[in-house]
Amino acid sequence: MKFNGYPVAIIIVCLGIGVLLLSLFNIEVAIEPYSPVPSPIPDTPATPQPPSPPPALTPTPGGLRVSNQTDSPVRVALLHQAGEGNVYSKPAHWDFAPGEGRTQGLILSLPDRDLRLRPGDIVVAFAQDGSRQYWGPFVVGETAQPVLDSETQEWRLMLTR
């Protein structure tokens, strides 16, 4: 009996392509433990409450607001200083669709801490459509952009063609 390895090879190649596609779309699978929380049953019938207004977005002093006024998808990357002497933390990046945040811009945030730019932080942006467009590098407090808004104390970066 002769072993034919083609079916096994095809399955391995398909799994590899699947993992590659998942990584390209930044899809992560996380399983969290389930812990049911009992909810108390009210003794009286609940009276309907008027909907509360959405929370106002207050500017974060030192935060970064980005406006993509181009027709290209754009990635904005940040090298944030971690301490004294040109030591930078792990780079962070955000992706913008064409025209996303065009008028008012979008406030950027980090998953584990507040984003507050400091002079010397480095921001760069580049188009992701193969056009080879790029903006920067911008050094916060030293180059023309980002600009500090005197009213909100936010840094604003406007990407235009």
Side-chain angles (χ1 to χ4, degrees):
M1 185 164 124
K2 186 176 181 182
F3 175 71
N4 189 352
Y6 288 117
V8 174
I10 290 172
I11 290 172
I12 292 173
V13 168
C14 288
L15 286 174
I17 290 172
V19 169
L20 178 64
L21 288 175
L22 288 177
S23 68
L24 286 176
F25 292 109
N26 291 330
I27 296 174
E28 295 179 6
V29 178
I31 299 174
E32 296 183 13
Y34 174 73
S35 60
V37 178
S39 60
I41 301 173
D43 294 335
T44 59
T47 58
Q49 298 292 326
S52 59
L57 291 177
T58 57
T60 303
L64 177 60
R65 184 180 294 265
V66 175
S67 176
N68 180 13
Q69 297 184 351
T70 72
D71 295 327
S72 299
V74 172
R75 174 165 286 181
V76 175
L78 168 69
L79 273 176
H80 192 62
Q81 292 185 42
E84 300 294 325
N86 295 332
V87 176
Y88 290 94
S89 62
K90 182 179 177 184
H93 69 270
W94 300 264
D95 293 335
F96 289 82
E100 188 173 11
R102 181 180 299 268
T103 55
Q104 295 183 353
L106 297 175
I107 299 172
L108 303 185
S109 63
L110 295 170
D112 58 345
R113 65 185 185 281
D114 288 338
L115 174 63
R116 294 175 192 246
L117 294 186
R118 296 182 292 195
D121 289 347
I122 299 171
V123 181
V124 65
F126 54 91
Q128 293 186 298
D129 60 0
S131 65
R132 297 184 179 180
Q133 275 289 130
Y134 66 91
W135 298 263
F138 303 111
V139 181
V140 176
E142 295 180 22
T143 55
Q145 284 203 66
V147 175
L148 184 62
D149 185 322
S150 60
E151 288 182 24
T152 62
Q153 294 300 303
E154 288 179 331
W155 293 95
R156 294 182 178 257
L157 178 63
M158 189 179 311
L159 304 174
T160 59
R161 274 219 199 233

